[in-house]
Amino acid sequence: MEQTVSDAAHQPGRPSAQTAPVLIAVAPNGGRRSKADHPALPITPDELASVAAASLEAGAAMIHVHVRDRDGRHLLDAEAYRAAIAAVRARIGERLVIQITSEALGLYEPEQQMRVVREVRPEAVSLALREFVPHETHEAAFSSFLEWLRAERIAPQIILYSAGEASYLQALARRGMVPFENLPVLYVLGRYTVGQTSRPADLLPFLAADIAVFRHWMVCAFGRQETACVTSGALLGGHARVGFENNLFLPDGALASGNQDLVAATKQAIEACGLVIADADTVRLHWAGI
């Protein structure tokens, strides 16, 4: 989403005060966890639709969708994505932006990741820079794929795991290889490991003086400080992604009953800071200008 910011926001390393509505995205399942981790983790299209409805009611404007095979394993498959999207749309219409993942999880190559996106033609998609450009020889293909996304009006969000990756993406943009003026990004605070707990200070390297500010940025985090991390990001001009993909616990350490609890906790914290929560129509309006 586009931020209404001061001129300082366009200077390297200057986070902006948030004045536009804050987007809350729910990431309800991911590709690793199962019902053994939490019985309310959604796997099937119907379960995803139910979580979408509950998360919408709690304050989410976007859902980040993973699909699974019959054995519950991570899957990139056009038919499975179409079934999930259809189930969510049948339940709540257009009231959430649906973003699919292209995450490889060590199972897919960039060509396969791009192929499933081309087949599904989703409203939005997340792309991990390190997966799509594991080596400079992949830069041209990645740039061409971004151009296709732009032509198809599919909103990309580039996943960045380090400040170094953010600098690399900016270098690609300076070389004319990113055909978006305001490419959305997601800053991941930490890694998916057992017991991983992200902290608000983990955001600081992404906002360092030598890192130019992305206009559309979002934060996700691991563990019980998830709400604190994404709220800190919102106060600095970013947006929030929460959910069972990265965290199962409320700020007080209690196990959440469902993804909607994490969305509600985030909405409460952000609104307590005097900020406004975005709806899906607002997200689409702003993302149309990326």
Side-chain angles (χ1 to χ4, degrees):
M1 293 176 55
E2 186 174 356
Q3 308 299 316
T4 304
V5 298
S6 68
D7 291 339
H10 301 288
Q11 299 176 21
R14 296 286 185 86
S16 63
Q18 176 68 274
T19 56
V22 179
L23 160 61
I24 300 176
V26 62
N29 54 358
R32 296 175 177 85
R33 284 195 165 117
S34 70
K35 289 186 181 295
D37 296 294
H38 198 297
L41 188 137
I43 300 293
T44 69
D46 286 345
E47 290 172 343
L48 282 166
S50 293
V51 168
S55 297
L56 170 67
E57 182 68 21
M62 183 170 84
I63 183 168
H64 172 76
V65 174
H66 286 249
V67 292
R68 308 292 186 89
D69 65 16
R70 292 182 177 179
D71 296 318
R73 295 174 298 195
H74 176 67
L75 183 66
L76 293 184
D77 178 79
E79 183 177 349
Y81 271 131
R82 292 190 193 105
I85 292 169
V88 172
R89 289 286 178 244
R91 184 69 175 268
I92 60 168
E94 301 289 328
R95 291 187 293 162
L96 283 181
V97 173
I98 299 178
Q99 179 194 68
I100 71 167
T101 186
S102 64
E103 185 174 2
L105 217 68
L107 302 173
Y108 299 93
E109 297 297 324
E111 293 76 13
Q112 296 170 295
Q113 295 168 274
M114 289 185 280
R115 183 182 308 121
V116 73
V117 179
R118 291 181 187 276
E119 291 174 354
V120 177
R121 283 180 158 78
E123 180 175 15
V125 62
S126 63
L127 315 168
L129 183 65
R130 62 171 54 180
E131 293 181 350
F132 278 81
V133 193
H135 187 268
E136 62 183 11
T137 57
H138 292 263
E139 290 178 354
F142 180 60
S143 179
S144 295
F145 183 58
L146 290 179
E147 177 56 41
W148 179 83
L149 293 173
R150 188 195 64 79
E152 294 293 323
R153 295 183 177 276
I154 297 170
Q157 184 182 51
I158 309 302
I159 300 176
L160 303 172
Y161 289 90
S162 69
E165 290 184 4
S167 295
Y168 183 32
L169 181 60
Q170 291 158 357
L172 291 175
R174 287 193 296 269
R175 287 158 49 197
M177 304 192 76
V178 176
F180 291 91
E181 183 178 354
N182 298 305
L183 186 65
V185 301
L186 173 70
Y187 297 143
V188 182
L189 307 189
R191 300 287 185 275
Y192 189 95
T193 59
V194 176
Q196 166 70 37
T197 299
S198 305
R199 305 183 188 284
D202 296 339
L203 178 60
L204 296 179
F206 291 102
L207 303 178
D210 57 342
I211 304 293
V213 174
F214 289 94
R215 181 168 294 181
H216 304 270
W217 59 275
M218 180 179 285
V219 173
C220 72
F222 297 85
R224 61 176 289 184
Q225 290 196 34
E226 176 186 64
T227 302
C229 290
V230 298
T231 302
S232 297
L235 286 167
L236 293 170
H239 302 276
R241 194 182 91 174
V242 299
F244 281 2
E245 177 166 352
N246 293 344
N247 170 52
L248 303 174
F249 298 95
L250 294 167
D252 64 1
L255 184 68
S257 68
N259 280 277
Q260 69 277 4
D261 292 355
L262 301 178
V263 174
T266 301
K267 179 176 184 288
Q268 180 180 22
I270 290 173
E271 288 184 329
C273 296
L275 304 179
V276 177
I277 303 300
D279 61 17
D281 288 340
T282 302
V283 175
R284 293 185 180 104
L285 176 64
H286 286 286
W287 277 16
I290 64 175

